[in-house]
Amino acid sequence: MYSPLISQLIESLRILPGVGPKSAQRMALQLLERNQAGAKRLADALMLACEKVGRCATCRTLTEESQCSLCKSQKRDGSILCVVEMPADVFALEQSGTYSGKYFVLMGKLSPIDGIGPKELGLDLLLQKMLEPELQEIIVATNPTMEGEATAHYIAEMAKRNNITVSRIAHGVPLGGELEYIDGGTLAHALASRREI
Amino acid sequence: MRIDLQPAYLLHSRKVSDSRLIVDFMTRDYGLLSAMARAPTKKQSPFALFRPVVISWLGNKELKTLTHHELAAVTMPVLQGQPLFCGFYLNELLIRLLNKGDGSTSLYEAYQYALLHLPSAVSPEPLLRCFERLLLDEAGFAIDWHCDITGCAIEPHYWYRLNPSAGFELINTQPLSQWCLDNRPPANTYEGDSILALASNQYHCASVQVAAKNIMRYLLASRLGGRALKSRELFASSLL
């Protein structure tokens, strides 16, 4: 129905998460009919980002510099390291505004069936960081899934062998949640990690 | 074909789009099952490993359509640490060795038994070895644990070499010290009493545990086609 170039654009937009054929068509027509300048900006930004963005040499998050701004910052506390699964988790933790240490991004979680083992997560790089005398505590902030728990345990064992304090972020009842709607597993976790008030 | 409320365990899930997943289950009566599922909403229980669930599905092809999924009203101990790694190992074995539809109720029960007892086991090795033996049998790779390849009964003090496609092959009837100068058996060679202990799933003795581990490693490696098990990398020590 559409000319080859427009069809190609629609098909390309479908790689975005949550974008089906109808949404892709709307986006393509919006860009071509009403916002050609915006389309060019988008194309330039995409090209440039794909070309320049790589991994931070220290924490493995996405950045166009050799070291990301968080790793370079002198204000961050280098004695605490928070290990997260994805760069989006760094953003989420930064938004909480309560953490001032540094990060390490695994870019995934241990999942043997998918072929992701310790090597694929760059845990050798994390081990090198553990050997730095400045580092004193590691906070493991992987997701509370079974794969996240396995990753946390593996990292905890590594940290203990290197005499580094290691902790896991708490999980349980969400703020504003109601107990009767929470599943048994989450409640069991919440009870097990209760604290004195 | 429509199956309702079948007890199962999730072995693996992978996203194919924002709202769709391909899930692999070990079911009680229908063996290994792959199905396309909708990603659970916030009100539904998420797909979780090592938790007993009941599932319903539709379809005649290899990839079914999951229509229902909920946690079973059975409490299971939560796997943490080393037992959790063992759980991943069991899942990888099932996915790698079974074809869709393979696996019996006894294998499902053995999997459930292992998950139930791994957290409290002093050593996970006997549980893993029992499961590996049953799985190899179910996957069609059974070998004779009581007789050698000529059909003679395995003798406790004779020495045998393992041929993964045929079985045990008698190589010496003398005590080890008489035919092996350094008193160390050649690679892939086992004493009859270790083989017989494995045949009856008796793993109390340390030497039987070592022999059983080596035999199972050798058998599994020959069945896995040269691609090593990724979950073995999780174990810092050589447990598996």
Side-chain angles (χ1 to χ4, degrees), chain A residues 17-18 110-120 146-147 149-151 153-154 157 161 183-185 188-189, chain B residues 11-14 18 48-51 71 78-82 84-85 88 91-92 95 227 230-231 233-236:
Chain A
L110 288 175
S111 180
I113 297 176
D114 297 313
I116 303 171
K119 271 183 231 150
E120 286 72 19
M146 281 298 170
E147 289 92 342
E149 288 299 324
T151 314
H153 179 74
Y154 194 91
E157 291 294 307
R161 278 199 294 274
D183 71 285
H189 258 298
Chain B
L11 300 178
H12 182 238
S13 68
R14 62 184 183 280
D18 259 11
L49 300 171
F50 314 121
R51 303 271 295 275
L71 289 175
V78 179
L79 296 186
Q80 285 172 327
Q82 192 100 308
L84 179 57
F85 292 169
F88 277 110
N91 285 5
E92 193 178 6
I95 296 253
R227 220 178 91 216
K230 205 74 189 168
S231 43
E233 291 177 17
L234 300 180
F235 294 88

Side-chain angles (χ1 to χ4, degrees), chain B residues 145-215:
Chain B
W145 298 94
H146 297 279
C147 298
D148 67 12
I149 53 175
T150 60
C152 299
I154 302 263
E155 293 294 334
H157 299 297
Y158 290 2
W159 288 84
Y160 298 86
R161 184 184 294 124
L162 174 60
N163 176 345
S165 52
F168 291 98
E169 194 180 338
L170 179 67
I171 57 161
N172 212 308
T173 56
Q174 304 294 316
L176 188 63
S177 54
Q178 289 184 17
W179 57 280
C180 210
L181 289 177
D182 56 0
N183 223 9
R184 283 176 60 187
N188 196 29
T189 304
Y190 310 95
E191 200 174 10
D193 57 0
S194 296
I195 300 168
L196 291 172
L198 222 159
S200 52
N201 279 330
Q202 300 297 321
Y203 303 99
H204 308 302
C205 173
S207 65
V208 172
Q209 285 193 9
V210 173
K213 179 153 73 178
N214 289 335
I215 289 173

Side-chain angles (χ1 to χ4, degrees), chain B residues 82-153:
Chain B
Q82 192 100 308
L84 179 57
F85 292 169
C86 293
F88 277 110
Y89 174 73
L90 299 184
N91 285 5
E92 193 178 6
L93 278 183
L94 285 170
I95 296 253
R96 294 275 304 273
L97 286 173
L98 291 183
N99 290 318
K100 303 285 179 289
D102 280 358
S104 64
T105 307
S106 55
L107 188 64
Y108 172 86
E109 281 165 359
Y111 178 77
Q112 182 161 263
Y113 182 86
L115 293 189
L116 208 58
H117 291 88
L118 274 170
S120 55
V122 181
S123 161
E125 302 223 8
L127 285 168
L128 297 179
R129 298 296 96 82
C130 288
F131 184 81
E132 287 164 344
R133 243 201 81 189
L134 184 63
L135 177 58
L136 281 171
D137 289 355
E138 297 255 337
F141 305 129
I143 59 166
D144 196 335
W145 298 94
H146 297 279
C147 298
D148 67 12
I149 53 175
T150 60
C152 299

